[in-house]
């Protein structure tokens, strides 16, 4: 995985592509490659949340532009807030998992407890 290709584009699909790259190609690179890809996904979330946070605080204070459309804008704001937070949490979790891998990701073994936790979260 080349680092310049691991940086997600500015869209929800871009974040998903970064996650897919880790899953699809990690065993063809090194542990550090996977960590860089995950770090790029987290950086994407942080970068995009900066403006999101400013807008959220403005609207919460009743000062954002287009107050007459705040109810509609709130829907998109909640979506992107949750998206950025989810990507950041996933990146933190994924980094912890990858740190425990051997240097060759092809030799990594899934933690059964983590697999069970994922299955519980999927049952929403």
């Amino acid at each position: 995985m080349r680092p310049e290709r691991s940086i997600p584009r500015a869209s929800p699909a871009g974040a998903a592509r970064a996650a897919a790259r880790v899953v699809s190609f990690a065993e063809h690179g090194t542990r550090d490659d996977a960590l860089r890809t995950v770090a790029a996904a987290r950086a994407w979330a942080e970068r995009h949340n900066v403006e999101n946070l400013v807008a959220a605080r403005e609207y919460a204070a009743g000062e954002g532009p287009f107050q007459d459309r705040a109810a509609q804008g709130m829907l998109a704001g909640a979506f992107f807030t949750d998206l950025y937070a989810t990507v950041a949490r996933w990146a933190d979790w994924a980094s912890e998992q990858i740190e425990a891998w051997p240097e060759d990701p092809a030799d990594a073994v899934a933690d059964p407890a983590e697999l069970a936790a994922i299955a519980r979260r999927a049952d929403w």
Side-chain angles (χ1 to χ4, degrees):
M1 285 180 286
R2 295 194 319 232
E4 68 275 7
R5 289 209 167 178
S6 65
I7 299 171
R9 301 212 191 297
S11 72
R17 279 193 296 274
R21 271 194 294 280
V22 171
V23 171
S24 300
F25 302 114
E27 73 272 16
H28 301 293
T30 67
R31 182 177 57 210
D32 287 342
D33 292 335
L35 287 169
R36 276 192 297 276
T37 298
V38 169
R42 189 176 213 299
W44 173 88
E46 290 173 354
R47 202 169 45 251
H48 288 284
N49 195 55
V50 169
E51 185 176 324
N52 178 58
L53 179 58
V54 169
R57 287 180 174 162
E58 286 176 353
Y59 275 95
E63 300 170 359
F66 311 111
Q67 284 295 309
D68 58 320
R69 300 190 66 239
Q72 295 79 20
M74 176 177 70
L75 301 178
F79 173 80
F80 285 106
T81 295
D82 289 348
L83 173 69
Y84 302 146
T86 296
V87 170
R89 280 191 303 271
W90 170 82
D92 292 343
W93 173 85
S95 292
E96 290 175 15
Q97 299 303 307
I98 295 166
E99 287 287 350
W101 287 0
E103 183 54 37
D104 184 349
D107 296 330
V109 176
D111 178 343
E114 290 295 333
L115 292 172
I118 292 165
R120 285 190 301 276
R121 287 197 318 263
D123 188 18
W124 54 273

